Amino acid sequence: MTAHPAIVDPAARRRSRALGVFLVLIGLMIYVFFVRSSTAGQLATFGMNPGRQTSALRIADVTLPVLTSLYIMSLLSVALGVAQLAWGFRRAEDVVLGLVALLLVLAFLTWAARDQSLNLVGILEAAVQRATPIALAALSGVLCERSGVVNIAIEGMMLTAALVSAVVGSVSGSLVIALVVAVLASGLLGALLAVLSIRYRVNQIISGTAINILATGATSFVSARFLAVYQHLNSPSKFPNWPVPLLSRIPIIGPAFFESNVIVYLLFVLLIVVHIMLYYTPWGLRTRAVGEHPRAADTLGINVYRVRYINVILGGMVAGLGGVFLVLGSVPRFDELMTAGKGFIGLAALIFGKWNPFGAFGASLIFGFTDTFQAKLQILRAPIPSQFLRMAPYLITMIVLAGVVGRAEPPAADGEPYEKQ
């Protein structure tokens, strides 16, 4: 018998080659931008302990020779790219890409901290805090888009929840009541989006944009007309940080992840719960079926409308939790337009994470890191404009959409209204 060669998808082969070229380019970029601007004898010191009182075990700081470290990172990235071009890593491509991305981040930090000291734990702590509302926005998008509804209104839902949490928290004096009422308010906006998009089949982009405009105008009016005059309506308290026993003692990750407030912990719980429900329960199977092929799901007895209503309302509530974090988990007051586009950034993280809860969280951390870096660079006086760092997540998103790191395809019926026949 004659052995037949394995059939290789031409598109997959092109993506594999593009990934290899991309990895090589990252290695060359490390050399051109970082190695060539460093000199022998420079040292970079990384603080491995938080700059505050904490229960985490203390470890020694790390000092690296800048030039040698950058050479190693550059060569390793190029070597992995060449290996990808020659043989391909097949199912390990995402792992290799993550490793090279980590090398790029480490190279950047090493270069930025040459002859200086940089607290890595402080950067990680700030990144987690900045990533939390973005991750909640992305998780809201996962719930909605997995059922076939595009939620452009996340920004308005977050803004509304932020205002409600500030007012209710100030009036009632209870953070729990403020959180619950704010989440319910954003759930009502989710219900409005569901009615417009599912029952009346309004274009989902237009209906979401209309809700954003409504929320922006209403919250700005209330802030200028009432909160600016009656300051006692905009002075809620803030959720305290609660260290998790044992876990908070872990060096580096303990202070960043397990010495936070209750909303950050709710994010972690939601990530696990939504992942399990999406991939290991009948509800998740129905949700994914409705998002991929609603007519086939309907013929199998699944109520497409009900599944979409439930998911969009739940998505609105999760987005509201992100708005609550901005007030009750970060700055205990409401300011006009304080979401600053985090709802839209969450949608970008959703795409980068390939509509997966943990993937979206990882992408949100990247956005949080870049937001933190641009602030740290001003302290280190690194010769890079902060605007370039703010561009980085969007450039990465475009690379993902271009197919360099694999397909980033939404559910097949995403954004398409369904009409029962």
Side-chain angles (χ1 to χ4, degrees):
M1 296 179 65
T2 303
H4 294 281
I7 299 176
V8 180
D9 181 9
R13 181 183 300 172
R14 286 195 300 270
R15 287 195 300 273
S16 178
R17 290 175 179 174
L19 177 59
V21 172
F22 181 67
L23 299 182
V24 171
L25 288 176
I26 288 181
L28 294 177
M29 185 174 67
I30 293 174
Y31 174 78
V32 172
F33 291 103
F34 302 146
V35 173
R36 290 174 60 88
S37 59
S38 303
T39 58
Q42 290 182 320
L43 299 175
T45 301
F46 295 105
M48 309 303 289
N49 303 286
R52 56 181 174 81
Q53 286 295 111
T54 178
S55 60
L57 299 175
R58 298 187 69 84
I59 59 177
D61 293 343
V62 175
T63 300
L64 298 177
V66 174
L67 200 58
T68 302
S69 301
L70 291 176
Y71 267 120
I72 292 173
M73 296 174 194
S74 176
L75 290 174
L76 186 56
S77 298
V78 171
L80 289 172
V82 171
Q84 171 67 21
L85 288 171
W87 306 291
F89 291 101
R90 300 181 183 275
R91 295 183 180 180
E93 286 184 352
D94 288 342
V95 176
V96 174
L97 177 64
L99 175 60
V100 174
L102 179 61
L103 289 174
L104 178 61
V105 171
L106 290 176
F108 174 78
L109 292 176
T110 303
W111 172 80
R114 57 198 190 282
D115 288 335
Q116 299 184 72
S117 178
L118 187 63
N119 193 311
L120 280 184
V121 178
I123 290 178
L124 185 58
E125 284 181 306
V128 171
Q129 294 297 311
R130 294 172 187 263
T132 295
I134 298 174
L136 287 167
L139 195 58
S140 170
V142 170
L143 288 168
C144 296
E145 298 200 18
R146 277 293 186 175
S147 66
V149 178
V150 176
N151 188 357
I152 296 295
I154 294 175
E155 182 83 3
M157 295 172 180
M158 293 176 67
L159 201 58
T160 300
L163 173 67
V164 172
S165 66
V167 174
V168 175
S170 301
V171 173
S172 68
S174 171
L175 294 175
V176 175
I177 293 176
L179 186 150
V180 171
V181 174
V183 168
L184 290 176
S186 61
L188 287 176
L189 287 182
L192 175 60
L193 176 66
V195 170
L196 293 174
S197 301
I198 300 170
R199 179 177 177 81
Y200 295 105
R201 295 187 290 279
V202 178
N203 183 284
Q204 295 172 11
I205 305 299
I206 295 175
S207 58
T209 302
I211 292 175
N212 282 336
I213 295 172
L214 172 65
T216 300
T219 56
S220 296
F221 171 77
V222 172
S223 178
R225 180 65 179 83
F226 298 102
L227 301 190
V229 178
Y230 307 104
Q231 294 291 328
H232 65 281
L233 295 178
N234 195 16
S235 57
S237 54
K238 175 183 173 183
F239 281 111
N241 289 344
W242 293 338
V244 179
L246 298 180
L247 293 179
S248 62
R249 293 181 58 81
I250 301 174
I252 303 177
I253 65 172
F257 291 94
F258 303 113
E259 288 189 11
S260 299
N261 59 60
V262 66
I263 302 179
V264 178
Y265 298 143
L266 284 175
L267 167 62
F268 298 156
V269 172
L270 283 172
L271 285 172
I272 297 172
V273 169
V274 172
H275 180 83
I276 292 174
M277 291 183 69
L278 270 180
Y279 297 105
Y280 300 101
T281 67
W283 173 83
L285 180 61
R286 295 189 189 100
T287 295
R288 288 182 286 123
V290 167
E292 292 292 342
H293 204 308
R295 196 163 303 284
D298 196 0
T299 59
L300 294 175
I302 298 174
N303 190 323
V304 175
Y305 295 146
R306 183 173 63 188
V307 170
R308 288 188 171 182
Y309 268 109
I310 292 173
N311 278 271
V312 175
I313 293 173
L314 288 176
M317 297 173 73
V318 172
L321 191 60
V324 172
F325 175 83
L326 295 175
V327 175
L328 304 184
S330 182
V331 180
R333 61 170 286 112
F334 177 82
D335 294 310
E336 290 186 37
L337 305 178
M338 68 182 305
T339 50
K342 289 181 175 61
F344 298 110
I345 297 175
L347 290 175
L350 164 71
I351 297 171
F352 189 16
K354 298 182 179 180
W355 289 265
N356 177 280
F358 285 101
F361 176 67
S364 301
L365 279 178
I366 293 177
F367 284 78
F369 269 116
T370 54
D371 198 13
T372 304
F373 286 162
Q374 61 90 16
K376 292 291 183 182
L377 281 183
Q378 296 177 6
I379 300 174
L380 295 173
R381 297 181 180 179
I384 295 182
S386 60
Q387 290 83 355
F388 283 100
L389 284 176
R390 294 184 180 182
M391 290 167 53
Y394 306 100
L395 293 175
I396 294 172
T397 302
M398 288 189 287
I399 291 171
V400 172
L401 292 175
V404 172
V405 296
R407 294 181 179 179
E409 295 182 352
D414 194 18
E416 298 180 4
Y418 176 69
E419 186 175 359
K420 189 177 179 67
Q421 294 181 349

